[in-house]
Amino acid sequence: MTTPLRAEPYMPPDAPLSRPIQDLGSRYHDTSAPGLGRGQARLWRLATFLPAFATTFALVAAFTNWFAMGGLTGFEAALITLIAITFFWISLSVSTVTVGLLRLCLTRKRATPALGPAMDVALLVPCYNEVPWDVFGNACAMLEALDAHPTDHRYTLFILSDTRDTTTAEQELRAFATLRARLPESIRIHYRRRAENTDRKVGNLADWVERWGGGYGAMVVLDADSLMSGEAIVALTDELATDPTAGLIQSFPKLYGAETVFARVQQFASTIYGPVLAEGLATWSDREGNYWGHNAIIRTAAFASCAGLPKIKTLSGKGALILSHDFVEAGLLRRAGWGVRFSPRIQGSYEEVPATLIDYVIRDHRWCQGNLQHLKLLATKGFHGISRFHLFHGAISYLLSPAWFALLMVWALIGAGAEQNVIRYFSGVNPQVQWPEMTAIHATALLVFMYGMLLAPKALGAAALGGIGLRLSELGGVTGFVTSFVTELTLSILYAPILMVQQTVAVLKTMAGVKVDWRPQTRAGGQYSIRAMLKFHWLETLSGAAMLAGMFAGIVSLWLLPIAISLAFAVPLSAFSGLRLTRFRATARALGTPEVYAAPAIIRAAKAHRAELRESLSKLPSAAE
């Protein structure tokens, strides 16, 4: 049941803006786009993609030479193709990190943009059944930070609610009233709750653009868990104001607020390895960058003119909503002649992280459904090649999991010599053909090479600490950092096979037409019983147990033992992922980052406002009372 819309009085006067729906079958150019000219990223793209292709080609040549003993069969050719597909993306990741490291060495500091014209900027916070004190606590912290930061730009924050729960909606209104009473009149904040959440987040933002977008030159799109310092918001605005060709500039949000084992693993990895990867991505994508749906600034008129999303055609003829809309909106902006940039050196941009393995997987299943949908959009007329690559990359990041799973099964059998009894039977290989022998030397060399490539981005990221502005003292000193590095590496290796199986399941469900309900994310982490975890991880557990049994029987190669252990113990690992480190003094700073050892002012302020609002809202009687 929904409550009547009561929040319209809290919005400013309408400032309509036309938002035509785009035709994906026709090219489109925005006549107001100033033109981008010739890009500067060709050499960087060669430096990124050429080594990735070369390394993949060398690996394929080695495997072809190995498999060709006695003749190359169709099954072997298919296996080599699968190896090439999976390995290329590992190699591309290494190349991107290498380019990022090189770029950091060549340009140590972020160039300070010249002052551009003052802009009216809207901060948009869409929310759907979120915890009100968290959303409004973050909003209060950002508004106060902006009020204290000297700038000619003018900012207005909008809470755009799609909340369906009546109690939560009432708490939102009370939180809004609390902020209005607490903040100075010079700080502008508005609240709107839609009567119907048509088209989810896409429709929520579209409604704002069409009704109020004409009053603002730019909009900073945030998620319900987003947090940005005043310096970060002003820096994004300055970059947009001084670059008339830019339609969208994406910041690199760091993770914060992690208190559990799994969340700290992600937060540590993002802090240490993420900046160099982001720098490489920004370098070769240049003005054909991507959009992550939040913590980005967008030129409002350009977005309205170019990025109105149509429905995807379906067999039923009803049309389907584009789920992972951000990638597509970036592609539409670039198609129309606007630059889409990634600016990872802006500091002070944050987002929260799922607290447990199960919470992460639930979110990942939704993203999988949206990203695979992008395969239907690759043929969109007028998309830049790099925009198409972003769409394809988003889909292939999930499709690689079933590919890896298939490879592991094949190598498990080959490594133990079971190909004589199993693989030849299913592949139709001539029994007289000698299958390549997986000796201990072959297995060890393959294992070392593959793990070396997988871990290279982490090693390069750790080596670039100085280049990304981190000091060991901010990471717990040498001992603390080394301990965290080894811990993150170990846990990442343990959790990777579980995530591979879960992503494989997500891909198969999506292909089978099983739709995932896009529910609000459990940001604080769900509490799961052993029964619930057994139900969630039964496939991994059985797969791991089967692999261990196969090892004892001599069917499965022993070099897959780490993967088998991870899968067999998926339930205990899942339970361990939700262990709250902050409960114990000895582990409170485990896997620590600067946000843990010395939280920035914006994070401290947000936490304080959240706590105050939670206390004040919990004391208020409900309307029913």
Side-chain angles (χ1 to χ4, degrees):
M1 179 180 178
T2 60
T3 58
L5 186 65
R6 298 182 288 167
E8 288 294 340
Y10 305 118
M11 293 295 283
D14 285 6
L17 190 61
S18 175
R19 191 186 69 92
I21 300 302
Q22 296 298 301
D23 180 2
L24 303 185
S26 303
R27 295 177 179 272
Y28 175 78
H29 179 77
D30 187 354
T31 55
S32 63
L36 295 175
R38 192 177 183 85
Q40 303 294 320
R42 289 194 174 188
L43 290 178
W44 287 114
R45 288 171 184 169
L46 281 175
T48 303
F49 285 86
L50 197 58
F53 279 115
T55 309
T56 304
F57 179 80
L59 184 71
V60 168
F63 271 101
T64 302
N65 184 60
W66 179 31
F67 282 177
M69 294 184 297
L72 191 66
T73 67
F75 178 77
E76 290 169 328
L79 187 58
I80 292 171
T81 302
L82 202 58
I83 292 169
I85 292 171
T86 52
F87 183 77
F88 170 76
W89 299 98
I90 298 174
S91 186
L92 181 62
S93 176
V94 175
S95 294
T96 299
V97 170
T98 304
V99 165
L101 187 60
L102 179 60
R103 185 63 181 267
L104 283 170
C105 292
L106 294 175
T107 55
R108 286 282 181 176
K109 295 182 179 180
R110 183 178 76 91
T112 302
L115 292 178
M119 301 189 73
D120 284 298
V121 182
L123 309 180
L124 307 183
V125 185
C127 58
Y128 172 65
N129 289 347
E130 299 283 351
V131 179
W133 42 84
D134 289 348
V135 175
F136 285 84
N138 283 8
C140 186
M142 288 187 285
L143 287 171
E144 288 182 341
L146 281 170
D147 190 52
H149 193 283
T151 178
D152 291 331
H153 304 301
R154 297 167 295 278
Y155 295 95
T156 305
L157 189 140
F158 292 82
I159 303 291
L160 305 177
S161 175
D162 262 352
T163 293
R164 302 295 94 196
D165 181 75
T166 56
T167 301
T168 303
E170 185 176 305
Q171 289 176 330
E172 287 176 355
L173 280 171
R174 289 178 171 177
F176 172 69
T178 301
L179 260 60
R180 284 282 295 265
R182 175 185 301 176
L183 295 170
E185 290 186 5
S186 59
I187 294 180
R188 293 173 292 276
I189 178 171
H190 300 283
Y191 174 86
R192 184 270 282 131
R193 178 170 172 248
R194 288 200 296 171
E196 299 293 337
N197 61 333
T198 306
D199 291 346
R200 301 172 181 164
K201 183 180 177 180
V202 171
N204 196 355
L205 292 175
D207 177 73
W208 180 88
V209 169
E210 292 174 357
R211 297 183 62 184
W212 296 282
Y216 302 89
M219 54 185 185
V220 175
V221 179
L222 303 162
D223 261 355
D225 64 339
S226 293
L227 183 65
M228 296 185 72
S229 67
E231 291 86 350
I233 295 172
V234 172
L236 269 181
T237 311
D238 286 341
E239 289 207 10
L240 189 72
T242 55
D243 183 359
T245 68
L248 184 152
I249 302 176
Q250 174 70 57
S251 71
F252 175 56
K254 294 181 180 178
L255 303 181
Y256 82 104
E259 296 185 351
T260 62
V261 170
F262 192 75
R264 283 281 177 89
V265 167
Q266 295 174 82
Q267 183 170 293
F268 182 85
S270 173
T271 299
I272 305 303
Y273 321 129
V276 183
L277 182 64
E279 187 70 30
L281 179 60
T283 300
W284 65 255
S285 62
D286 195 32
R287 293 174 298 183
E288 287 77 45
N290 211 352
Y291 172 37
W292 297 348
H294 57 88
N295 294 50
I297 190 167
I298 306 173
R299 202 174 298 277
T300 312
F303 185 83
S305 172
C306 313
L309 294 180
K311 299 290 180 66
I312 296 179
K313 293 181 180 179
T314 60
L315 295 177
S316 65
K318 292 182 179 179
L321 181 69
I322 295 177
L323 300 176
S324 295
H325 55 92
D326 38 16
F327 284 36
V328 183
E329 288 162 344
L332 290 172
L333 279 167
R334 181 60 188 86
R335 176 180 82 156
W338 292 99
V340 178
R341 289 174 37 208
F342 184 24
S343 188
R345 298 195 191 186
I346 291 177
Q347 301 297 310
S349 180
Y350 301 98
E351 65 173 322
E352 291 182 318
V353 60
T356 69
L357 175 62
I358 290 180
D359 292 315
Y360 181 91
V361 169
I362 290 172
R363 185 188 73 174
D364 211 40
H365 280 200
R366 298 198 307 267
W367 286 4
C368 174
Q369 183 177 316
N371 282 22
L372 292 186
Q373 195 184 52
H374 290 164
L375 294 175
K376 300 178 181 179
L377 304 173
L378 290 176
T380 297
K381 293 286 186 180
F383 266 0
H384 192 281
I386 298 297
S387 298
R388 297 184 204 277
F389 180 82
H390 290 314
L391 292 173
F392 182 69
H393 188 202
I396 201 68
S397 63
Y398 288 96
L399 293 172
L400 284 175
S401 286
W404 274 112
F405 189 79
L407 272 179
L408 285 173
M409 294 303 100
V410 172
W411 286 121
L413 298 172
I414 292 176
E419 73 284 353
Q420 301 293 333
N421 302 316
V422 181
I423 296 179
R424 284 181 177 174
Y425 175 79
F426 286 106
S427 63
V429 178
N430 186 338
Q432 302 303 316
V433 176
Q434 181 63 41
W435 188 272
E437 181 184 2
M438 176 65 83
T439 63
I441 295 176
H442 280 137
T444 302
L446 181 62
L447 190 66
V448 170
F449 179 71
M450 294 302 289
Y451 270 112
M453 290 297 291
L454 285 168
L455 299 179
K458 293 180 180 288
L460 290 170
L465 287 181
I468 60 177
L470 286 177
R471 300 186 299 272
L472 287 175
S473 59
E474 298 176 300
L475 301 166
V478 175
T479 302
F481 172 70
V482 172
T483 302
S484 296
F485 182 83
V486 173
T487 303
E488 186 277 330
L489 192 61
T490 303
L491 291 175
S492 293
I493 291 173
L494 286 172
Y495 285 120
I498 301 173
L499 292 172
M500 174 191 66
V501 172
Q502 286 290 344
Q503 286 188 345
T504 300
V505 170
V507 168
L508 294 177
K509 283 185 174 180
T510 301
M511 289 182 169
V514 178
K515 294 185 178 180
V516 180
D517 187 17
W518 285 51
R519 299 175 182 175
Q521 183 177 315
T522 309
R523 303 191 189 278
Q527 300 296 321
Y528 302 102
S529 65
I530 295 297
R531 182 179 178 181
M533 287 187 284
L534 281 169
K535 184 179 179 181
F536 197 88
H537 295 294
W538 69 269
L539 181 58
E540 301 97 293
T541 304
L542 289 180
S543 299
M547 290 177 70
L548 290 174
M551 290 176 188
F552 282 112
I555 299 175
V556 178
S557 172
L558 285 174
W559 69 274
L560 289 177
L561 183 61
I563 295 173
I565 291 174
S566 169
L567 295 176
F569 290 90
V571 171
L573 284 170
S574 186
F576 180 67
S577 75
L579 179 66
R580 202 160 292 276
L581 296 172
T582 51
R583 290 177 55 190
F584 310 101
R585 186 174 182 179
T587 60
R589 292 186 172 182
L591 291 161
T593 61
E595 290 72 31
V596 172
Y597 282 99
I602 189 67
I603 295 178
R604 297 197 305 271
K607 287 184 176 181
H609 289 310
R610 284 181 174 195
E612 291 173 8
L613 284 171
R614 181 176 186 175
E615 183 177 0
S616 63
L617 291 176
S618 62
K619 290 179 179 179
L620 291 171
S622 67
E625 299 174 344

